[in-house]
């Protein structure tokens, strides 16, 4: 009887420990994941800077066709500020990112661009409620829409905040061609990749969603980036372009 009571007591203590520590462990794991992902993202952008640059130059040249006045620009998931080089002078840039650990690096990078007014908000693409309807000249998203929980809702929010004629500039990795070897591995590794990289979806069909979102015009290219690292070949197929409200 003593043994049974002891075992039951240990079980109760164990379950109570899980219930007590569970939320704390999840918060700790989430914090460490965000910090790790921020460091990974900085290195990823540094390694791929020259590979991305031609596409960035192409999609951001539309800034030259916009009114010559200070523009209000929103960047979704701005990370460490990889797109700052391409922003027009005197832009008012609102950076919206769910990772609070990106803020420090972003603001340090912003110091190199004194002509750009930069603010940072913790938030997600699905909820841009801090921004009024038709209040933004341009929205930027580069390698962010792969990680949103609701892609269609995110695009609805982009359309809502853009002024009429406003531009949505994007570069995103997408699902590979059906039947290809990369397509197989994207689906095979989809779940662990999602958990390891803050919700990144290897099989997101962002190109199709943008075309169906309701923009008045979409200019979109699909191409392959020749990543040297084997694991990055999973995101080699990309779409990039400019959509106009």
């Amino acid at each position: 009887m003593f043994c049974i009571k002891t075992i039951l007591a240990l079980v109760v203590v164990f379950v109570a420990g899980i219930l007590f520590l569970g939320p704390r462990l999840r918060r700790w794991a989430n914090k460490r994941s965000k910090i790790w992902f921020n460091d990974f993202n900085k290195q990823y952008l540094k390694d791929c800077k020259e590979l991305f640059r031609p596409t960035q130059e192409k999609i951001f040249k539309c800034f030259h066709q916009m009114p010559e006045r200070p523009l209000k620009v929103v960047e979704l998931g701005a990370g460490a500020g990889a797109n700052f080089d391409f922003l027009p002078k005197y832009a008012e840039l609102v950076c919206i990112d769910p990772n609070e650990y990106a803020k420090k690096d972003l603001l340090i990078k912003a110091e190199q661009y004194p002509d750009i007014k930069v603010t940072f908000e913790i938030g997600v693409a699905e909820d841009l409620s801090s921004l009024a309807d038709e209040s933004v000249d341009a929205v930027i998203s580069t390698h962010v829409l792969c990680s949103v929980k609701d892609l269609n809702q995110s695009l609805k929010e982009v359309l809502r905040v853009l002024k009429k004629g406003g531009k949505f500039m994007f570069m995103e990795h997408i699902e590979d061609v059906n039947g290809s070897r990369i397509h197989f591995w994207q689906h095979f590794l989809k779940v662990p990749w999602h958990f390891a990289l803050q919700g990144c979806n290897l099989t997101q069909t962002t190109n199709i969603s943008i075309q169906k979102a309701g923009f008045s015009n979409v200019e979109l290219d699909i191409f392959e980036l020749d990543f040297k690292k084997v694991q990055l070949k999973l995101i080699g197929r990309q779409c990039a372009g400019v959509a106009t409200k």
Side-chain angles (χ1 to χ4, degrees):
M1 180 65 71
F2 173 77
C3 183
I4 294 175
K5 287 183 177 179
T6 303
I7 292 172
L8 288 173
L10 290 172
V11 169
V12 170
V13 169
F14 178 73
V15 172
I18 291 176
L19 293 174
F20 178 75
L21 294 175
R24 289 167 174 77
L25 287 172
R26 284 195 294 272
R27 286 196 294 269
W28 177 84
N30 186 50
K31 176 181 177 180
R32 297 309 308 173
S33 176
K34 285 184 174 181
I35 292 173
W36 175 84
F37 182 76
N38 186 56
D39 292 339
F40 166 84
N41 193 46
K42 285 189 295 183
Q43 188 60 48
Y44 163 71
L45 292 172
K46 181 179 179 181
D47 291 345
C48 302
K49 182 178 180 180
E50 296 308 315
L51 194 60
F52 294 152
R53 192 170 187 87
T55 303
Q56 290 171 299
E57 290 175 345
K58 184 175 181 179
I59 63 175
F60 292 130
K61 71 179 181 181
C62 72
F63 276 127
H64 303 305
Q65 302 163 4
M66 298 180 74
E68 293 186 6
R69 56 172 172 78
L71 300 175
K72 185 169 184 178
V73 180
V74 170
E75 181 163 10
L76 306 176
N83 294 317
F84 280 15
D85 282 349
F86 307 95
L87 296 175
K89 281 189 175 182
Y90 311 115
E92 178 186 346
L93 178 65
V94 180
C95 300
I96 297 179
D97 200 302
N99 191 341
E100 62 270 31
Y101 299 101
K103 182 177 181 179
K104 180 180 178 181
D105 294 316
L106 181 78
L107 295 182
I108 289 174
K109 181 71 175 287
E111 291 176 358
Q112 302 173 30
Y113 302 84
D115 293 332
I116 299 174
K117 180 183 177 182
V118 179
T119 58
F120 182 94
E121 295 181 11
I122 296 174
V124 293
E126 296 93 332
D127 180 10
L128 303 179
S129 54
S130 64
L131 300 166
D133 295 358
E134 299 188 348
S135 61
V136 172
D137 295 292
V139 177
I140 296 170
S141 172
T142 55
H143 299 138
V144 172
L145 295 180
C146 57
S147 300
V148 299
K149 293 181 179 179
D150 189 332
L151 178 55
N152 291 330
Q153 175 60 25
S154 300
L155 293 172
K156 284 181 182 178
E157 281 291 85
V158 169
L159 278 164
R160 181 184 65 79
V161 302
L162 278 174
K163 298 175 182 177
K164 186 175 181 180
K167 305 293 184 181
F168 175 46
M169 309 166 201
F170 57 90
M171 176 169 61
E172 303 286 344
H173 67 81
I174 56 175
E175 184 179 32
D176 209 278
V177 177
N178 188 20
S180 70
R181 183 176 60 179
I182 294 297
H183 183 266
F184 167 81
W185 284 109
Q186 283 178 332
H187 282 264
F188 185 79
L189 296 172
K190 180 176 179 176
V191 173
W193 186 281
H194 173 90
F195 282 105
L197 292 171
Q198 288 285 299
C200 178
N201 182 357
L202 282 171
T203 61
Q204 195 85 293
T205 53
T206 305
N207 52 316
I208 296 173
S209 296
I210 291 174
Q211 290 171 322
K212 293 182 176 180
F215 291 96
S216 66
N217 183 61
V218 177
E219 298 177 6
L220 183 150
D221 294 322
I222 294 177
F223 55 96
E224 297 284 340
L225 285 179
D226 185 20
F227 290 108
K228 301 304 179 186
K229 293 184 177 180
V230 174
Q231 64 271 30
L232 292 182
K233 291 185 181 298
L234 289 170
I235 58 171
R237 189 169 176 82
Q238 305 264 325
C239 72
V242 179
T244 304
K245 180 175 177 177

